[in-house]
Amino acid sequence: MDFSLSREHEMIRESAFKFGQNEIVPGIRERDRAAESDPQTLKKMGEAGFLGVCVPQEYGGMGADYISLGIVCEELERADTSARVVMSVHAGLHCMTLMQWGTEKQKRRWLPDLATGKKVGAFGLTEPNAGSDAANLRTTARRDGADYIINGQKTWISLSDYADQFLIVTRLSETNAKAPYAAFIVDRTTPGFSSRPIHGKLGVRAGNTGEIFFENMRIPAENMLGEEGDGFKVAMSALDHGRYTVASGAVGIIQACLDACVKYANDRTVGGEPIGKKQLVQQMIASMVQGREIGRLLYYQVGWMKNVGLRHTREVSLAKWTNCAAAFDAAHKAIEVHGAYGFADEFPVERYFRNSRGAIIYEGTHEIHTIMQAEYELGYRSDKPLARDLPTWPFEKVPTEA
Ligand code: CAA
């Protein structure tokens, strides 16, 4: 067993850290206050190569391994959650699912623009009446000659106003509520597509979130990922990738809490000594260290499983569940360490507290992951290998002909 990170991992960490501190942190308080997302950050993330970090080089990506993706998510979320959310929906939910389920022709059609940030991808599963209950979708796709006609709506869609294309999941009947699902890539320029932002969020205010609507939207059958009936599996595999980015990003929040608390605890004095000398403050800092170290081990393990092609639905659920809870706890404690200063945005910890709350809900709530972990242990949930695998790393050469 080898726990060391490679030189490439260290270089990617350094470059994502610098990007976060130089391109995201300056101005984040103002953007968070104004609830303003910044499309320039998205553009710069594309130029830096992060959007295609684990897309094979043949498709225009950096060709790094899946652990690298986790490291980028960690370092970007250390700056602000909104940047990690971009990685989650674009690199995780959209690109990796395309890598797993796309035909060679589809990969060559879409991945090069996505990997280089010329186009941005997002994901649409959740609906007003189907969040945890992903088997209850109402958005429908009806076959019409060489096309499908899509009607319905999705909500809580990250990058709803910016993404060029969406991976959406639909039911294959307008009348049968038990009909199987299909997944499609849809372009936002398709007639019948519209979006609307959601305002007033508790956290991730510098990130764009909204609803997307489909009204008699005609999509060619060649835009379907997998076959008719594969849609639920496509959605669940997408979540295996999205949850990985959320789990690794959560470690970045813990690190950001530590960055802020170590500085504050050394600067702030009580009774003539830094508060870092007080055991109760040390206890809180030690607990954050515990969260960071456990969190890293959990997400590195999942990254490794992705690299070697092992099914990891169980492990990624555990990592997402554990790390998001640890990040929220760390942010709560970080406010405690800062006392009244932690309650206003002069210091960043109140933003970490608000930002870390959302991740306990999205990509599987605390309750969904609790149930999944118990069901695996009780033998109620299958862990059998999947029919479609993500490409293993190092990536193999693929045929040039589609
Ligand atoms: N990959 C591929 N296939 C999978 C899979 C995976 N990870 N997980 C399950 N499947 C397959 C199974 O093998 C099974 O196929 P077979 O019948 O051929 O064996 C089929 O899918 C059904 O699997 P399950 O029986 O496990 O499905 P379930 O109904 O028990 O799942 C659940 C229940 C796990 C709770 C699931 O509904 C779930 O994860 N719900 C939460 C949904 C969620 O996280 N929503 C958040 C959406 S994203 C978001 O928040 C917005 C955003 O982007 C920011």
Side-chain angles (χ1 to χ4, degrees), residues 56-341:
Q57 288 177 347
E58 302 177 73
Y59 304 116
M62 209 188 266
D65 73 345
Y66 300 111
I67 294 177
S68 304
L69 170 65
I71 291 172
V72 169
C73 290
E74 182 188 330
E75 292 302 333
L76 293 184
E77 185 144 16
R78 187 172 172 184
D80 191 59
T81 301
S82 57
R84 191 274 302 152
V85 168
V86 169
M87 295 301 296
S88 292
V89 299
H90 174 97
L93 292 162
H94 195 101
C95 289
M96 285 169 80
T97 313
L98 191 46
M99 280 160 62
Q100 184 174 359
W101 284 89
T103 60
E104 196 45 43
K105 193 172 170 189
Q106 289 174 324
K107 290 190 233 183
R108 291 194 180 276
R109 176 177 168 199
W110 285 308
L111 281 176
D113 280 351
L114 292 164
T116 48
K118 284 196 193 103
K119 289 216 166 150
V120 174
F123 179 69
L125 173 65
T126 300
E127 298 182 358
N129 287 305
S132 294
D133 190 8
N136 190 31
L137 299 185
R138 298 203 182 153
T139 295
T140 58
R142 170 173 54 83
R143 182 93 200 204
D144 184 39
D147 302 325
Y148 285 86
I149 310 293
I150 300 184
N151 280 290
Q153 80 180 81
K154 300 284 176 184
T155 191
W156 294 111
I157 304 305
S158 303
L159 301 181
S160 55
D161 290 333
Y162 296 124
D164 298 284
Q165 58 190 58
F166 297 81
L167 193 176
I168 63 161
V169 188
T170 67
R171 191 177 286 293
L172 278 165
S173 166
E174 290 172 352
T175 48
N176 177 3
K178 298 270 174 244
Y181 287 0
F184 297 90
I185 302 281
V186 304
D187 196 291
R188 77 173 306 119
T189 58
T190 315
F193 179 95
S194 60
S195 71
R196 184 169 65 196
I198 292 173
H199 297 294
K201 288 179 297 179
L202 172 72
V204 203
R205 291 189 183 159
N208 168 246
T209 315
E211 297 170 281
I212 54 176
F213 303 89
F214 322 117
E215 202 183 333
N216 292 322
M217 196 173 66
R218 184 174 283 275
I219 298 292
E222 67 204 32
N223 283 28
M224 187 159 60
L225 276 193
E227 308 287 329
E228 283 201 351
D230 282 341
F232 189 80
K233 292 181 186 180
V234 173
M236 290 299 121
S237 7
L239 291 173
D240 283 349
H241 311 319
R243 287 169 183 169
Y244 174 61
T245 62
V246 175
S248 46
V251 177
I253 293 204
I254 303 175
Q255 183 60 58
C257 290
L258 278 164
D259 295 340
C261 288
V262 166
K263 180 166 185 343
Y264 187 82
N266 278 318
D267 289 350
R268 175 82 173 174
T269 55
V270 169
E273 64 174 5
I275 61 166
K277 296 279 182 188
K278 307 284 179 201
Q279 286 186 339
L280 289 179
V281 171
Q282 291 179 354
Q283 188 179 41
M284 290 189 275
I285 288 179
S287 151
M288 293 177 211
V289 171
Q290 194 177 33
R292 178 190 64 195
E293 296 305 311
I294 292 171
R296 278 198 186 132
L297 288 176
L298 286 173
Y299 95 71
Y300 288 165
Q301 174 185 238
V302 175
W304 169 76
M305 291 177 89
K306 283 183 183 293
N307 281 348
V308 298
L310 291 173
R311 181 168 183 182
H312 50 271
T313 309
R314 178 181 187 160
E315 290 76 9
V316 79
S317 155
L318 181 66
K320 192 271 176 189
W321 178 48
T322 308
N323 295 3
C324 291
F328 185 60
D329 186 55
H332 173 58
K333 290 191 165 93
I335 292 178
E336 201 68 17
V337 169
H338 284 70
Y341 285 111

Side-chain angles (χ1 to χ4, degrees), residues 370-389:
T370 308
I371 289 166
M372 284 177 75
Q373 290 306 315
E375 288 184 348
Y376 275 121
E377 198 61 29
L378 287 158
Y380 304 159
R381 186 161 282 282
S382 158
D383 219 359
K384 65 181 184 207
L386 298 169
R388 293 281 191 115
D389 286 327

